């Protein structure tokens, strides 16, 4: 099985497994056993999700599987170190944007390109004494076999939850054959839990402790996990932590590898002998261990020396002290960073080495994140008020986490923030201190770039690229950002700075992403705040992009749904009226005598229309008011407003033998389930827009947009765009207005002809980016707001060419 097929299969299997909602029957204390060929020990499967989170499956493997599961689910808890002995394979549902880049890459290998907030399977392997990692192909095949086997057993009603203590035994799956479609045999098997390994007492190291002074203190001792590791070494690191419970003074804090247990014991004994921080000799009256192994190894000898020893699986105070230690060590001691990372600096990537530049950029981003975590300057109310206009930093971090607010603030705080006029930025300090050359190049590129407001002109999630147009200064750039390309929509706006990396360009957020309809108002807001739209002005006023977070909140809170109307200004409501016609042929001939009725021979319908006037915004020479067709002796009229129906009834009921019967009314936004059954059951498959139709509509829209340049606009004080261009300020405003016009909504690939509009007004400087050939772009018609991006045209919907006919009887016929 090829890697891509394997990933696709295991992702689908994980989705199918979670789709069965097994957590409603399995608690986190229940499990089932799995036996596969080639493995002597059975695995224990635990369905996750009973607590309403961490949905997925954990497979405990090896001789200690039952002991680890018992300890994790037992009331005593696992303690600091038992987890390191776990041999586990599994997955959980995680937010895609929160996953590590390597895990995101694995999901993409399966052909998925999720958005930032989407929940997707995140796979994990944890071997004894080793750091968690991603599974290899053989482990993925094993997980695939177990998932498909469990699904098959559950489909047959044979997958039954049970605890290890169940006398009748565990539900046991014996799997064999193809991992994607295994053969499954289900039995009940008695399970004999094995006790986990116990730590060997360290008697020799504790000799002579009896003579030490006695301290009227309680010490907290544990081995919390270190949230890092040494590059190239997958062994788990622990921090031996010895602290005074009352004062929280730390006597000992030493990094030790899992498996080198003697180092931890030796460090603890040194603390007793006064060789740790503080230099005080003595044994405390009481020691509380959160490490089961340390308690088992040291407890007997310390008890003989008169020390009361207790084991508690979780000590909140010790966990808090550990977090402070990690924060201090990570931000203030170079030796700690050197201990955790490979001392050798990576070489500068080749100009066309995208992966190499991305890795260097991840290192820069990690430095930004570390600064934000440990730098008091960035965490101050003064800095928060400068960027957000509000000192409540936690609110913005919580409210806009998914929009990238944390890194946007960190970037501003490091690149732009100066507490005083003479202060150096943190970026300047980082360069002065020294960075690996590739990281220094990327940091200097960030510092040289100015933030601005970009419009997303196109994006390609498969290639990981985004085409951006600079709304404020003009110009275009294509950036490589895989995660961002999966989370943007064409036409939206993003406050950011772009900077070169080899032959590529990368993106750094400077403010919030904004919807397609927010562009020109955001520009006006920034102008009102005094921002100068020049490169130097944008750098100087970079903090104003941070004010957009609060502005966007208020914009969305006060946004009102636009009124959808037809070209007459009537509310858009579809009316299908039925009339009885005593003589259908006579009624038909009478209507054809009218000047406002024409025959659509291709559709076999009569069209009620009027000629367009100077105030009409609809492209073309006529506006379709309604359509009429005969079904036996029934005359059926379709119009899109109550006013048009009333007007039609005035002349229809004057025709010989025509009598009104009833009318069906449907709003344009009516949910599908509220529609008549005949409109829901037999709805044909939608038909794609043809290139010929798209080209014809684009031509119509081009004429309409060029006409717009000479149309008086309220946003321009009643002047036309052409008139407004008489002054430099007006030229800048019109250029930004054209760059922020939302793309038309609807199916097809029709675009606003921005470049042609700018050229016609003499405003074009650089060509706007062309969207990727596979980009989906909406289309604008009489009721533009009713459409939705990236959709197909239903055969019974109005044709997007603006004729007023149903698609199946207009351009859809030519498509067929």
């Amino acid at each position: 099985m090829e890697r891509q097929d394997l990933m696709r299969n295991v992702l689908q299997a994980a989705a199918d497994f979670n789709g069965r909602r097994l957590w409603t029957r399995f608690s986190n204390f229940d499990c089932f056993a799995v036996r596969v060929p080639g493995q002597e020990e059975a695995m224990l499967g635990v369905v996750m999700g009973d607590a309403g989170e961490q949905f997925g499956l954990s497979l405990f493997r090896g001789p200690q599987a039952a002991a680890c599961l018992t300890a994790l689910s037992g009331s005593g808890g696992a303690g600091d170190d038992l987890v390191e002995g776990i041999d586990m394979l599994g997955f959980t549902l995680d937010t895609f944007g929160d996953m590590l880049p390597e895990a995101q890459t694995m999901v993409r290998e399966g052909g998925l390109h999720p958005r930032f907030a989407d929940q997707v399977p995140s796979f994990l392997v944890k071997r004894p004494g080793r750091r968690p990692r991603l599974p290899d192909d053989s482990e993925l095949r094993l997980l695939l076999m177990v998932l498909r086997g469990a699904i098959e057993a559950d489909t047959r009603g044979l997958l039954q939850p049970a605890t290890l203590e169940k006398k009748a035994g565990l539900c046991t799956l014996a799997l064999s054959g193809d991992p994607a479609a295994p053969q499954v045999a289900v039995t009940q098997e008695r399970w004999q839990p094995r006790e986990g390994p116990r730590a060997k007492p360290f008697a020799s190291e504790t000799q002579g402790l009896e003579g030490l002074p006695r301290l009227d203190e309680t010490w907290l001792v544990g081995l919390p996990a270190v949230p890092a590791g040494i590059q190239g070494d997958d062994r788990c690191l622990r921090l031996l932590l010895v602290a005074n419970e009352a004062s929280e003074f730390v006597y000992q804090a030493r990094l030790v590898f899992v498996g080198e247990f003697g180092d931890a014991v030796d460090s603890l004994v040194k603390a007793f002998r006064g060789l740790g921080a503080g230099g005080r000799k003595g044994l405390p009256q009481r020691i509380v261990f959160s490490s089961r192994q340390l308690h088992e190894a040291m407890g007997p000898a310390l008890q003989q020396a008169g020390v009361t020893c207790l084991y508690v699986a979780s000590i909140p105070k010790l966990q808090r002290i550990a977090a402070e230690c990690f924060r201090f060590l990570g931000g203030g001691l170079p030796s700690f960073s050197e201990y955790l990372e490979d001392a050798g600096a990576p070489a500068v990537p080749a100009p066309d080495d995208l992966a190499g530049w991305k890795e260097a950029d991840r290192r820069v981003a990690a430095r930004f994140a570390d600064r934000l975590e440990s730098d008091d300057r960035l965490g101050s109310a003064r800095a928060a008020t400068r960027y957000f206009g509000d000192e409540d930093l936690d609110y913005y971090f919580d409210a806009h986490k998914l929009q990238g607010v944390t890194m946007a603030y960190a970037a501003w705080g490091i690149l732009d923030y100066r507490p005083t006029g003479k202060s150096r930025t943190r970026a300047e300090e980082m360069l002065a201190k020294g960075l690996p050359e590739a990281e220094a190049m990327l940091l200097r590129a960030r510092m040289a770039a100015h933030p601005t407001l970009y419009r997303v002109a196109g994006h390609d999630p498969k290639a990981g690229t985004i085409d951006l147009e600079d709304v404020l200064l003009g110009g275009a750039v294509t950036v490589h950002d895989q995660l961002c390309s999966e989370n943007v929509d064409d036409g939206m706006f993003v406050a950011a700075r772009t900077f070169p990396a080899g032959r590529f360009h990368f993106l750094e957020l400077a403010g919030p992403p904004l919807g397609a309809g927010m562009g020109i108002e955001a520009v006006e807001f920034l102008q009102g705040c005094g921002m100068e739209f020049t490169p130097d002005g944008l750098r100087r006023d970079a903090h104003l992009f941070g004010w957009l977070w609060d502005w966007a909140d208020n914009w969305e809170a006060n946004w009102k749904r636009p009124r959808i109307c037809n070209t007459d200004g009537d509310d858009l409501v579809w009316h299908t009226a039925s009339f009885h016609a005593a003589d259908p042929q006579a009624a038909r001939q009478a209507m054809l005598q009218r000047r406002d009725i024409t025959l659509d021979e291709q559709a076999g319908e009569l069209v009620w229309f009027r000629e367009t006037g100077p105030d009409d915004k609809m492209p073309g020479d006529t506006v379709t008011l309604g359509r009429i067709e005969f079904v036996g002796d029934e005359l059926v009229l379709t119009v899109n407003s109550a006013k048009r129906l009333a007007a039609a009834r005035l002349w229809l009921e004057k025709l010989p033998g025509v009598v009104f019967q009833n009318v069906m009314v449907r709003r344009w936004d009516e949910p599908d389930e509220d529609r008549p059954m005949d409109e829901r059951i037999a709805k044909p498959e939608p038909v794609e827009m043809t290139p010929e139709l798209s080209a014809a509509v684009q031509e119509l829209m081009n004429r309409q947009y060029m006409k717009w340049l000479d149309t008086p606009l309220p946003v321009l004080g009643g002047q036309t765009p052409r008139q407004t261009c008489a002054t430099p300020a007006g030229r800048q405003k019109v250029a930004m207005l054209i760059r922020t016009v939302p793309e038309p909504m609807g199916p097809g690939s029709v675009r606003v002809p921005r470049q042609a509009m700018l050229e016609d007004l003499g405003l074009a400087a650089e060509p706007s980016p062309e969207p990727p050939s596979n980009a989906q772009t909406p289309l604008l018609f009489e009721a533009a707001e009713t459409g939705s991006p990236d959709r197909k045209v239903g055969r019974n919907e109005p044709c997007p060419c603006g004729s007023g006919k149903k698609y199946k009887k207009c351009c859809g016929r030519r498509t067929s």
Side-chain angles (χ1 to χ4, degrees):
M1 189 183 302
E2 297 292 334
R3 170 73 177 186
Q4 186 174 12
D5 294 333
L6 175 60
M7 278 306 310
R8 185 181 298 111
N9 284 337
V10 76
L11 285 168
Q12 186 60 55
D16 294 344
F17 181 86
N18 266 350
R20 303 193 73 83
R21 300 175 60 84
L22 295 176
W23 62 84
T24 61
R25 293 165 31 217
F26 283 75
S27 75
N28 290 340
F29 302 98
D30 296 323
C31 58
F32 59 92
V34 182
R35 293 193 178 276
V36 296
Q39 291 195 16
E40 180 180 352
E41 299 284 346
M43 297 178 287
L44 290 177
V46 177
V47 176
M48 309 299 294
D50 177 43
E53 58 184 2
Q54 293 292 314
F55 301 98
L57 173 69
S58 293
L59 288 173
F60 293 89
R61 306 183 291 183
Q64 305 304 322
C68 290
L69 179 57
T70 300
L72 288 173
S73 59
S75 58
D80 290 338
D81 38 30
L82 182 63
V83 175
E84 300 306 337
I86 287 177
D87 188 348
M88 189 270 291
L89 166 67
F91 82 94
T92 57
L93 285 187
D94 288 337
T95 302
F96 185 71
D98 292 338
M99 294 166 58
L100 294 174
E102 296 81 3
Q104 294 174 346
T105 299
M106 176 176 279
V107 172
R108 295 185 185 109
E109 286 178 336
L112 297 183
H113 292 277
R115 298 181 76 87
F116 188 95
D118 287 349
Q119 295 286 304
V120 296
S122 177
F123 303 101
L124 184 71
V125 171
K126 171 68 181 69
R127 300 310 299 264
R130 303 294 172 175
R131 284 184 287 162
R133 60 170 173 81
L134 298 176
D136 58 29
D137 286 4
S138 64
E139 291 161 333
L140 286 173
R141 280 190 287 270
L142 173 60
L143 182 58
L144 174 61
M145 174 177 277
V146 174
L147 290 171
R148 285 300 176 198
I151 292 171
E152 173 62 20
D154 189 58
T155 301
R156 290 155 50 185
L158 301 176
L159 189 65
Q160 301 297 328
T163 60
L164 285 170
E165 296 78 16
K166 186 177 180 181
K167 293 182 179 180
L170 286 181
C171 173
T172 303
L173 312 183
L175 309 179
S176 60
D178 183 0
Q183 299 176 0
V184 183
V186 182
T187 61
Q188 295 294 119
E189 183 175 322
R190 293 292 299 273
W191 196 268
Q192 297 295 332
R194 303 183 187 181
E195 186 177 350
R198 301 184 67 85
K200 180 181 178 181
F202 281 72
S204 59
E205 285 78 357
T206 58
Q207 290 180 358
L209 295 181
E210 296 86 351
L212 293 175
R214 302 304 298 271
L215 306 175
D216 187 17
E217 298 174 357
T218 296
W219 287 10
L220 307 178
V221 178
L223 285 170
V226 176
I230 296 177
Q231 187 171 338
D233 191 331
D234 66 349
R235 289 179 297 173
C236 293
L237 273 173
R238 289 286 178 175
L239 179 67
L240 173 71
L241 193 59
V242 182
N244 185 305
E245 182 184 42
S247 66
E248 300 187 7
F249 183 83
V250 177
Y251 297 119
Q252 192 67 277
R254 179 181 175 181
L255 292 167
V256 296
F257 278 115
V258 169
E260 298 180 1
F261 193 64
D263 291 345
V265 173
D266 180 63
S267 296
L268 180 57
V269 171
K270 287 181 178 179
F272 296 147
R273 299 188 186 281
L275 300 178
R280 292 183 61 199
K281 287 184 180 181
L283 292 175
Q285 294 287 349
R286 186 168 174 262
I287 298 179
V288 182
F289 291 91
S290 61
S291 164
R292 187 191 300 267
Q293 290 184 332
L294 273 178
H295 178 256
E296 293 174 352
M298 301 290 293
L302 291 172
Q303 296 275 18
Q304 290 181 2
V307 179
T308 301
C309 295
L310 301 175
Y311 165 71
V312 178
S314 177
I315 305 176
K317 180 176 289 189
L318 194 65
Q319 292 173 349
R320 179 169 51 79
I321 295 172
E324 293 174 357
C325 285
F326 294 142
R327 189 178 302 115
F328 169 74
L329 290 173
L333 294 180
S335 59
F336 182 79
S337 299
E338 292 171 3
Y339 188 69
L340 296 181
E341 297 181 0
D342 189 353
V348 175
D352 57 354
D353 181 7
L354 178 60
W357 285 109
K358 280 295 180 184
E359 177 57 34
D361 195 56
R362 275 196 287 269
R363 288 175 174 267
V364 175
R367 292 182 188 276
F368 281 21
D370 288 343
R371 280 282 183 176
L372 182 62
E373 181 71 21
S374 60
D375 196 327
D376 292 338
R377 176 197 284 188
L378 300 187
S380 68
R382 181 176 182 179
T385 302
R386 176 72 170 166
Y387 180 76
F388 292 110
D390 185 342
E391 66 178 22
D392 192 354
L393 192 65
D394 291 339
Y395 163 76
Y396 290 97
F397 280 11
D398 292 340
H400 298 285
K401 176 184 177 182
L402 296 180
Q403 286 77 43
V405 65
T406 305
M407 288 308 295
Y409 177 73
W412 169 81
I414 292 170
L415 299 172
D416 302 300
Y417 180 49
R418 303 176 191 271
T420 68
K422 296 182 179 180
S423 300
R424 292 198 300 177
T425 66
R426 292 304 193 205
E428 291 168 343
E429 294 174 355
M430 292 166 69
L431 284 177
K433 186 177 180 180
L435 291 172
E437 184 55 30
E439 297 176 45
M441 292 170 65
L442 291 172
L443 183 56
R444 285 193 291 266
R446 280 175 165 88
M447 295 166 66
H450 61 267
T452 187
L453 186 67
Y454 287 105
R455 181 181 63 85
V456 177
H459 69 290
D460 186 345
K462 292 184 179 179
T465 59
I466 311 167
D467 299 312
L468 299 173
E469 182 179 13
D470 190 335
V471 170
L472 305 181
L473 301 183
V477 64
T478 296
V479 298
H480 284 74
D481 192 308
Q482 182 67 63
L483 186 60
C484 190
S485 72
E486 295 163 340
N487 288 275
V488 298
D489 295 310
D490 290 356
M492 68 180 292
F493 298 88
V494 57
R497 69 186 85 210
T498 61
F499 56 94
R503 294 179 181 171
F504 311 98
H505 279 85
F506 293 168
L507 180 80
E508 185 81 81
L509 285 180
L514 305 173
M518 302 169 70
I520 191 60
E521 293 184 54
V523 170
E524 293 173 345
F525 171 78
L526 293 172
Q527 281 183 315
C529 293
M531 178 176 280
E532 178 185 322
F533 293 158
T534 64
D536 289 340
L538 294 174
R539 291 189 191 94
R540 182 180 61 250
D541 298 332
H543 64 284
L544 295 178
F545 288 107
W547 292 13
L548 286 172
W549 295 100
D550 186 62
W551 175 85
D553 282 346
N554 292 328
W555 191 95
E556 293 177 357
N558 296 307
W559 180 82
K560 295 182 179 178
R561 191 171 191 170
R563 177 172 173 258
I564 308 301
C565 58
N566 61 19
T567 51
D568 294 334
D570 306 328
D571 289 335
L572 191 70
V573 182
W574 296 103
H575 291 70
T576 302
S578 175
F579 297 79
H580 173 71
D583 187 343
Q585 187 62 29
R588 181 184 182 89
Q589 291 300 322
M591 282 188 284
L592 287 173
Q593 300 303 312
R594 294 176 59 92
R595 295 184 60 182
D596 58 355
I597 296 291
T598 187
L599 174 63
D600 182 346
E601 295 183 359
Q602 193 174 40
E605 296 176 348
L606 300 177
V607 180
W608 176 36
F609 70 94
R610 66 170 171 81
E611 295 181 352
T612 56
D615 296 331
D616 284 303
K617 299 178 182 179
M618 187 73 179
D621 299 326
T622 62
V623 173
T624 298
L625 302 176
R627 302 189 69 85
I628 301 168
E629 59 183 331
F630 287 89
V631 182
D633 61 355
E634 184 182 17
L635 183 155
V636 180
L637 166 71
T638 303
V639 293
N640 63 10
S641 73
K643 186 176 179 180
R644 288 184 180 178
L645 174 61
R649 285 188 63 177
L650 290 177
W651 59 267
L652 276 172
E653 292 184 291
K654 293 179 181 179
L655 298 177
V658 175
V659 179
F660 174 77
Q661 292 182 316
N662 57 64
V663 62
M664 291 190 301
V665 178
R666 177 170 61 85
R667 291 187 54 81
W668 63 269
D669 57 350
E670 181 178 309
D672 188 68
E673 59 268 20
D674 294 339
R675 297 184 181 184
M677 289 300 296
D678 60 344
E679 293 188 28
R680 286 186 277 157
I681 296 174
K683 189 174 183 179
E685 287 295 320
V687 181
E688 298 251 11
M689 289 277 285
T690 65
E692 295 79 11
L693 177 57
S694 293
V697 175
Q698 181 71 69
E699 184 178 351
L700 278 172
M701 299 309 296
N702 287 349
R703 292 200 298 267
Q704 191 71 6
Y705 278 111
M706 300 306 290
K707 179 181 175 182
W708 177 82
L709 299 179
D710 295 296
T711 302
L713 302 175
V715 72
L716 299 178
Q719 287 188 315
T720 69
R722 197 178 305 280
Q723 291 169 336
T724 306
C725 287
T727 65
R731 291 168 64 83
Q732 184 186 50
K733 185 169 186 177
V734 170
M736 290 188 295
L737 181 61
I738 291 174
R739 296 186 194 117
T740 54
V741 171
E743 297 288 1
M745 297 197 313
S749 56
V750 178
R751 293 271 179 171
V752 175
R754 302 178 198 276
Q755 191 64 24
M757 296 165 73
L758 292 169
E759 290 175 353
D760 188 84
L761 297 174
L763 302 176
E766 298 181 28
S768 298
E770 292 296 327
S773 58
N774 63 342
Q776 298 288 320
T777 311
L779 181 64
L780 174 66
F781 295 105
E782 179 182 4
E785 295 85 350
T786 67
S788 60
D790 304 339
R791 73 178 184 92
K792 298 178 180 179
V793 189
R795 286 173 53 82
N796 288 318
E797 294 180 17
C799 185
C801 74
S803 66
K805 304 177 187 178
K806 292 181 181 179
Y807 181 67
K808 68 181 179 182
K809 294 186 177 181
C810 186
C811 298
R813 176 172 295 181
R814 293 193 291 273
T815 301
S816 301

